[in-house]
Structure formats: C-alpha cells, structure tokens
Amino acid sequence: MTDVELRDPAFTERYRAIAARDSRFDGQFYTAVRTTGIYCRPSCPARTPKAENVSFYLTSAAAHEAGFRACKRCLPEAAPGTPAWDLRRDLTGRAMRLVADGVVDREGVSGLAGRLGYSERQLHRLLVGELGAGPLALARAQRAQTARALLVGTTLRLADVAFAAGFGSIRQFNDTVAEVFGATPSELRARARRGGRSVAADETGRSHRDRSGDGPVSGQPTDLGEHKPEPVRISLTLPVREPFDARGVLEFLAVRAVDGVESADLRVDGADGPAPVLRYARTVLLPHGPGAFEVRVPRPGSGRVDLDLELTDLADAPVAVARVRRLLDLDADPVAVDSSLAADPVLAPSVAAVPGIRVPGTLDPAELLVRAIVGQQISVAAARTHLSRLARGVGSPYVSAFEGLTRLFPTPAQIAGPAHPAPGADGETDGIDVPPGTDAASAYLRLPARMLATVLGAARDLADGSLVLSVGDDPDDLRRRLVSRPGIGPWTAGYVALRVLGDPDVLMDGDVALLSGARNLGLVSAEASRPHQFKELALRGAAWAPWRSYAAMHLWRSA
C-alpha cells in the first residue's frame, strides 16, 4: 500500500475501483494520469497506472481545468452522470442540477448565483473548493459533452453542433473540442465513423436534415429557428447504468399519461418472436419553444436508451437531454440502491425481483405541482381523466411526428386564465359548454371547491413568479414553502420533492398506497390500526436511508 493510500481512504477505494475496472463508478469520478496528461472513466481498459501518478476528480470539468484531456479509448464524456447531485442536498448538488439544466448558458453565472442565493464570488469559491472547477468551467464541460454526443451521433453540420451545444462562437467550439478531446470536431466525427458508430436516421433512412460536416468549421451557426419553420429532429443514444428497470419507470409514466400530451407503448410483440417494445413519448415546453421527444429501450441490459428529439430550436438539445435523463432517473446508482435495500430481509425479495428500480422525475416542476395537487385525494386513473380534460380544453395544440401527441400540457397562466377552449390539431374543441368568465381550472377540473382553490392559487402564483420551483431548490425549503400554502400537505410536498429534485430519501407521510404495499410485503402488522401502521412504516423505513424514495417505488409496485 502506498503512502498516498494510507493518507486518504477515499483514494484507496477509488484506486481499487479502477484496478478492478468497475463500471459502476463510471461518471461518479474521473481518473487523471499525470504521466500521460489524460483522464479516464474508472472502467477504462487501459493498463492501471501507478498510484503515485494518479489524481481523482469529481467532475470532468475539474480534470479539464487541471490540464488533462479526455481518453480516446474509454470516452469518459460518454459515461452516465453522477447520482451524487441528487443525493447531496448541499450547494454543490443544487448547483450541478442547475448547470445540467442549462442555467449558466441561458442566464450566466449571475443567474445561477441568484437562484442559489449567493454572490458570484462566493459561488465560484465554494464550487472550486469542493469540485476543483467554477460555474463557467462546469458549463463548458457540459457543452463539450453535448458536442461530442452530437458529433458522433448525428449528421448535423458542425456549425449547427456548435450552436446546439451552447457555444458562443465557432472558434470557442473548435478550441474546446480540441483541448478536451485532443482532436478537431471533424476528426472526432471521422473517428466515430471508422469505429462503426451508427449515425441517426429518420424513418425514411435519411439522416436528419441530411447534412455532413467535413473540414474545419467556419462562419456562424445556422439559426434554424428563424430560417426553417419545421422542427429540428435529431436522434441520440443515452448511456444508463445497469441494471435498469426500464419497464417499471415507463409503466409509472404510462398509467399517468395525459391524453395528447403523452403516449406510451409497452406491448410485447415482434416479427421474430416475442420482443419487448418499450416506448414513451410526450410534448414539452423548452426554453426556446415547444418540442417533443420519444424514448425507446431496445432491449433489457443494453446499457442505453434511444432518444429522438423534435425541437423548435437546436439550442434546446442539451436541456432536453438533461431533462429526459432526470425524468427516467438514468444517473442513479442501482447497485448502491439495491445493495442497501436488500439488507432488509423482508424487502430483499422485491429488490431481487425488480433490480435497478428507478424514481421517475419530471420535465416541468410547475406542471408536476399541478398534477400532484389534482391527484392528492383521488386515484391515479381519476387524476388522469381530469388532467386530460384540462389539456384538451386549454393546452396549446402541437403537431408532432410522434404518434399520439397533439398538444402541450397547459401552462400555469392557461390554467389560471379564462377557459377559452383551444382547438385541437384537427380544429375541434373539447365540446364543453364554458360560461363566460370561467377560469380554466374550474371549467375542466371536476374537483371539490377547496381543491380547485388550491390548484388556482398555485397556478396564479406560478404564473406571476411569486412561486418558483426548480431543480436547484433546497429540499427542506421547498417543503416549507409548499406546506405553508392552503390545501397542500406533507404528502404533496414530499411527492414534489421526490420528483422535481430527484430526492432519493423521501417516504411520504400518510400515503395509503405505500401502506398497502407495506402490508402486502409484510413490513407492517396487518392487524394494527392505520395510524399505528404508518408509525411502524416510518420506523422501519429509517433503516432504508438514504434510499427511501427507491424503497417507496418497491412498495408502490407491490400495492
């Protein structure tokens, strides 16, 4: 054992991981080798370097800042993201979630600092001290990752790749790619083609927008939003840690799917015998305009999810990818979760039966709050009926190439505003007779007056900005703000924290479905009163920390 290992137990654990080429740690830290100037993912197949030549970094940005470039063999930028940003409740975790959502690119470092309640100087100092890289470096690494994915996975012009990845200029794009990957953008693309990587194609077999990008990049990125009214369509492959309960997460979304806004296909068929068809699609409002996406899981254990994007503006590509990853919880650490939960002998059979369970996130925090309020005292099926009626009534029409998508989920302003039925893609309205002056929530949600008032109050405050929800919120502060509102209790606040923030350690108080699942699994006494069962479940659940959200998914599944 080296002196370095004796001084730092974390170094010892990480060095053992790279010696074992353990893919479970890919994306959770990066290995930089001083003698080569290269950084790798832990599972890199190259010979394990000597411990005295190794440094470990929590982010690729920190490795960039220290002067290292990405390994051409293991492609560390293609690894899944780290689950630590959801597990950590501190400033670092909150900042990383916002950086991934493109806040620095859209609002600058000042916007990120303002959202987190710090000055720019404080934020920079704290992130450099914790991660080895400041906000600009973290955002730059995010752009480099997006650029690599678009270069090897699409035939977009190189200028359009630069624009989509968020670079401010072509020169910045060229310089960053060369510095991080040790190759020009065209060389990266050519290398991927020589390696047999597939290029995205649409249903007709033509590459999307059918553009090639050979040679150095020059000129300005094409503003497709101004010059092409048609949506931009690109296809990407998203890495995921296995095991991955793809069917479980898509079923969760499918049973809650709002008609016209979401569409799912979980059938089992195939020309060459039974084969799973796992597909989920939905519309989404992105920073630069409306869009849609479709995800498909080709086969269990493939370690990937295929994603087709339909965008108003290419600049929304990295944001859309980040939000889809959060929706499907692709950056979770399933081995850590399953190992911890399986230590409970009663929960262990469920973990063994459903390895790699995920906690679905959300694409839009405001939408999730409305959906949570509508569904807090009724069944999932009933909530879906109410929300589908609302979407048909006032949701903006949307024409998509993806099957089953016809409109966007209503914005808070539309929900709180007057109920003027919006025509669908076929020109038809919902057919409901709406008296003049009626707000949309009252017209289309058949709910008790108290619940309607809660929905309307939240929608109005979300619309005027007096209530703001984001992936960068502090979990405890989010709960306090929500519970202080009339009609919102701990269950709803916990559910919003679970799905908006990706909080891995939420066990909702008073959830009868959780209690039903706990009884089915034998985790609580079936003969005891309901209040006693809730107390028993809370005590039993303390041992599942910090993964109680994942335990809740097992209980819901059992229920």
Side-chain angles (χ1 to χ4, degrees), residues 259 385 387-395 407 421-424 429-430 444:
D259 295 343
T385 298
L387 293 165
S388 295
R389 188 187 301 117
L390 179 67
R392 286 195 305 272
V394 292
R407 60 184 60 249
T429 65
D430 190 60
Y444 296 105

Side-chain angles (χ1 to χ4, degrees), residues 241-317:
R241 291 185 183 88
E242 293 290 347
F244 174 45
D245 178 29
R247 175 170 289 277
V249 70
L250 295 186
E251 282 179 346
F252 183 95
L253 298 172
V255 299
R256 293 162 175 79
V258 174
D259 295 343
V261 176
E262 299 166 276
S263 174
D265 185 358
L266 307 179
R267 295 171 299 139
V268 176
D269 58 21
D272 299 322
V277 177
L278 301 178
R279 167 193 169 272
Y280 171 78
R282 71 154 289 167
T283 58
V284 58
L285 186 60
L286 295 164
H288 294 89
F293 68 86
E294 180 179 85
V295 293
R296 298 177 310 282
V297 182
R299 64 181 184 280
S302 65
R304 58 180 254 244
V305 172
D306 293 334
L307 170 65
D308 289 340
L309 292 174
E310 189 175 78
L311 307 171
T312 297
D313 194 313
L314 261 177
D316 281 330

Side-chain angles (χ1 to χ4, degrees), residues 106 146 150 154 156 160-161 163-166 208-209 211 222-236 238 282-295 307-324 363 398-402 405 408:
R106 295 193 302 274
T146 301
L150 293 172
T154 75
L156 287 170
D160 290 333
V161 170
F163 176 54
H208 293 291
R209 293 209 180 275
R211 293 172 176 171
T222 303
D223 187 343
L224 299 176
E226 287 185 12
H227 303 295
K228 293 285 285 186
E230 301 85 4
V232 184
R233 295 187 176 91
I234 56 177
S235 298
L236 297 168
L238 308 182
R282 71 154 289 167
T283 58
V284 58
L285 186 60
L286 295 164
H288 294 89
F293 68 86
E294 180 179 85
V295 293
L307 170 65
D308 289 340
L309 292 174
E310 189 175 78
L311 307 171
T312 297
D313 194 313
L314 261 177
D316 281 330
V319 178
V321 169
R323 293 183 183 181
V324 170
L363 299 164
Y398 181 85
V399 178
S400 175
F402 302 131
L405 304 185
L408 298 164

Side-chain angles (χ1 to χ4, degrees), residues 44-69:
C44 182
R47 185 175 64 183
T48 303
K50 294 181 179 179
E52 57 265 28
N53 296 328
V54 169
S55 296
F56 294 115
Y57 295 95
L58 292 180
T59 65
S60 60
H64 300 164
E65 291 295 282
F68 296 94
R69 62 178 175 82

